Amino acid sequence: MKHNKALLLLLACSFSLYAQKSSDKKIKPRNEFIPELMAKMTIDEKISQLVQYTADGTVTGPKTGINYIEEIKKGNVGSILNATSVKYTRELQELNLKNSRLKIPLLFGYDVIHGYKTIFPITLGEAASWDLKAVELSARVAAEEAAAAGVHWTFAPMVDISRDPRWGRVSEGSGEDTYLGSKMAVARVRGFQGNDLMAANTVLACTKHFAAYGAAEAGRDYNTVDMSERVLRETYLPPFKATVDAGVGTFMTSFNEISGVPATGSKFLLRDVLKGEWGFDGFVVTDYTAINELIPHGFAKDSAHAGELALRAGVDMDMVGGIFMKNLKKLLQEGKVTEAQINDACRRVLEAKYDLGLFHDPYRYNNEKREKEVIYKKEHLDAALDVAKKSMVLLKNDNNVLPLRKEQKVAFVGPLVNDEWNIIGSWAASGDRYGYAVSVQEGVNKIVTDKNKVTFDKGVEIVDARRDMMQAALDNARKADIIVAVMGEFENMSGEAASRTSIDLPGIQKEFLAELKKLNKPIILVLMNGRPLTLNWENENMDAILEAWFPGTMGGDAIAQTLYGMNVPSGKLPMTFPRNVGQVPIYYNHKNTGRPYLGPTDPEQKYKSRYIDVDNSPLFPFGYGLSYTTFSYSNLKLSSKTMSMNGNIKVSVDVANTGNYDAAEVVQLYIQDKVGSVTRPVKELKGFEKIMLKKGEKKTIEFTITPEDLKFYDIDMQFTAEPGDFEVTVGGNSASGLQDKFVLVK
């Protein structure tokens, strides 16, 4: 915790250093400047503000064949995607201003998901930290580096809730839980946008993907979504609403349809809910070519119809597809869209540019000296290491084989043991892989000075079935006291367009583990992956399992320090790990059925909601994670056994560190509404606190429950709390804990 505070203080100082506005020209307040500017604009100039094209940088979607340089020269562009570096963005801005009659600056956007150059753990890994300050710090570092490289706008946070690990994009989100996901989303918005967007080291955040993209059928990317409005509002929309309340500047539409209407053409989502109910006053950008895709969806008959539907639904900016530029003026002339709709969209985009200070100084993000000073700053690398260590989840540790001791002879094996490419994960922005990312081998060599104590062998590849390297690895492992296998996925096996029907360890990695098992040595499995994997065999045969996710630039140091006890793992799972893919979708806060299965001791085994080949329970539940120490929970107390509709209840519990290491624990509060006018989940996360306890130390942790925590959409779709019985559970994961009850009364 002290480390977190020190890093935040250092970064706050650096932020203030670069937040100077002395060079900005004096212009009128936004509420005067923007209307006056728009009064001077032609309809073509207004439409151009609703257009984004991609530069020649990172490929994040299908090629369109549009020449962005020529479009800038014509004044047909409001924003550019995938242009980075001070030099390049300045060149494009100069070209734009030279050709812009009213000198309206370009907005530069880039996917800065979990770091710009200094790469942090993938977002799912960060969520495993359950540390909101650490997550905010990660986004703040990403913002400072991206802004220093000429980037104004990031397409993050992704706040999609997902219960299906087959979907590759679970790596970009915070997992399966609405409460945890909402807290993480707000932390990221605060980190990206800071307290003042006008500061030249903050970036505009973009909440995505609106909405319910994480519920794609069969876990297949871009696929159909269909659900009740109750499920949509209770489970999938709250993280989006939380970012609106936190002041997020932009939203992105999702590729999927909901109830037969593609999200990019959904008036219900964009105008009724987002801009209407929630009062969102930022702007909405589509995902990459999402307006064009209304045609293959079968929702629009041609590009003109697609543009009409999107603008009327509430889209403000067309990402890459060129539909608005090609069609909006003609649609206006034909009376199919209105000038008021175009004006509203244009106003929102211009206001974002104003808020970033681009009208005050279009080159305020173009400081080469700052770019050199900020990228890979030591404080940033320290922060990346800190967050990576907090993201590690210890899934198994039989006989306390971890932590390792320096005097042990350890055979490090596996395709990722000396990897610098995959360790930073997918969507790694401009992160350098070779030469910058720290591999596990490099991290271990910093700790173990006696090189006779460690060996390093790949043994096998991630996917390739070649076996010619296996024997050398087995020979070294045979001479060792203990084996550490570093395995997992390629970075591009998770993320966008990376759905999998099998979520086993790919290739022949499991076969190699089976050969290692025959040596009768303790084996520690270290995993790098972007999703929950099915690890039934591994759990039965490995002595320890450490889930490292893709841990980022400093990942090798974080893993090595964790293996050797310099860091005590404190991460908890933000997603359930299934026993096999047949259990998917699987999540902790499911509903009961009329025939709930009570487990192996249930006297009725046949006619219950269960599988006949595997238990209903997951392999590792949501919120689960071990430590090198042990924690005990005791003395659960409720301040009252009843709560009124305008009252609250204090819940307290004593948590003690009963082991031999100073360590952090995530104390989790769950509530079950026992009876409702519509059925309620078996439990729901409603609070958590990450605490540090020295060995032998005990702390009393207190949560406050209010009627707001008990609200849901009742049988009449009213968001309310109903009187009745509630059960409280407090513990270290979603599957166990101390319990008590209270009654909510009118």
Side-chain angles (χ1 to χ4, degrees), residues 507-546:
I508 60 170
Q509 294 180 88
K510 192 183 296 186
E511 177 187 322
F512 182 36
L513 288 175
E515 292 301 313
L516 292 167
K517 180 72 175 176
K518 294 175 184 177
L519 302 178
N520 293 315
K521 310 275 182 164
I523 305 175
I524 297 156
L525 175 60
V526 177
L527 294 166
M528 288 190 218
N529 45 288
R531 54 158 56 83
L533 299 176
T534 42
L535 302 168
N536 234 22
W537 183 91
E538 291 83 352
N539 187 51
E540 291 173 0
N541 289 279
M542 300 296 100
D543 297 273
I545 303 175
L546 179 68

Side-chain angles (χ1 to χ4, degrees), residues 38-60:
M38 290 186 64
K40 301 173 186 175
M41 295 173 72
T42 65
I43 194 65
D44 294 293
E45 288 170 330
K46 291 174 181 177
I47 291 172
S48 73
Q49 291 303 304
L50 317 186
V51 175
Q52 181 184 70
Y53 291 129
T54 184
D56 296 325
T58 307
V59 176
T60 55

Side-chain angles (χ1 to χ4, degrees), residues 63-226:
K63 294 285 188 180
T64 63
I66 295 170
N67 187 323
Y68 69 101
I69 295 292
E70 290 304 313
E71 295 302 316
I72 292 174
K73 289 179 179 178
K74 295 175 186 175
N76 289 345
V77 189
S79 175
I80 289 291
L81 174 66
N82 293 331
T84 62
S85 85
V86 164
K87 183 177 183 296
Y88 189 36
T89 55
R90 187 178 189 97
E91 287 175 359
L92 294 179
Q93 192 72 278
E94 287 174 346
L95 180 66
N96 166 69
L97 293 176
K98 180 181 177 182
N99 291 278
S100 172
R101 182 178 68 92
L102 296 172
K103 308 304 178 188
I104 300 174
L106 286 172
L107 181 67
F108 293 108
Y110 191 55
D111 285 287
V112 185
I113 308 301
H114 54 107
Y116 175 72
K117 281 285 190 182
T118 302
I119 305 301
F120 286 72
I122 59 168
T123 313
L124 188 65
E126 287 189 350
S129 74
W130 291 58
D131 189 323
L132 300 177
K133 291 292 184 185
V135 170
E136 182 176 342
L137 176 63
S138 167
R140 180 166 292 183
V141 169
E144 183 168 356
E145 290 196 348
V151 175
H152 307 141
W153 179 24
T154 178
F155 303 106
M158 191 195 94
V159 305
D160 296 302
I161 300 300
S162 180
R163 280 82 186 270
D164 192 333
R166 294 173 298 179
W167 190 50
R169 301 196 80 165
V170 299
S171 64
E172 298 173 51
S174 295
E176 71 187 47
D177 183 68
T178 301
Y179 183 87
L180 178 64
S182 297
K183 297 294 185 183
M184 291 290 168
V186 169
R188 292 191 170 97
V189 169
R190 287 175 176 163
F192 287 130
Q193 295 192 167
N195 297 320
D196 180 12
L197 269 175
M198 199 76 77
N201 44 20
T202 60
V203 295
L204 200 63
C206 182
T207 303
K208 66 183 188 185
H209 306 83
F210 198 58
Y213 189 24
E217 286 184 358
R220 197 174 78 237
D221 213 350
Y222 317 119
N223 203 11
T224 299
V225 171
D226 197 9

Side-chain angles (χ1 to χ4, degrees), residues 164-168 218-219 463 488-489 493-494 498-507 510 529 531-535 538 578-582 584:
D164 192 333
R166 294 173 298 179
W167 190 50
V463 172
E489 299 179 304
M493 294 179 76
S494 59
S499 300
R500 292 177 58 194
T501 59
S502 169
I503 51 175
D504 291 348
L505 269 178
K510 192 183 296 186
N529 45 288
R531 54 158 56 83
L533 299 176
T534 42
L535 302 168
E538 291 83 352
R579 296 178 184 274
N580 60 48
V581 77
V584 172

Side-chain angles (χ1 to χ4, degrees), residues 13 60 98 173 181 203 246 253 282 291 339 362 376 437 448-449 489 495 523 565 591 616 635 651 657:
C13 291
T60 55
K98 180 181 177 182
V203 295
T253 66
I291 299 179
E339 189 167 1
Y376 289 127
V448 182
T449 54
E489 299 179 304
I523 305 175
K591 301 285 192 75
N616 286 4
N635 201 27
V651 179
N657 183 340

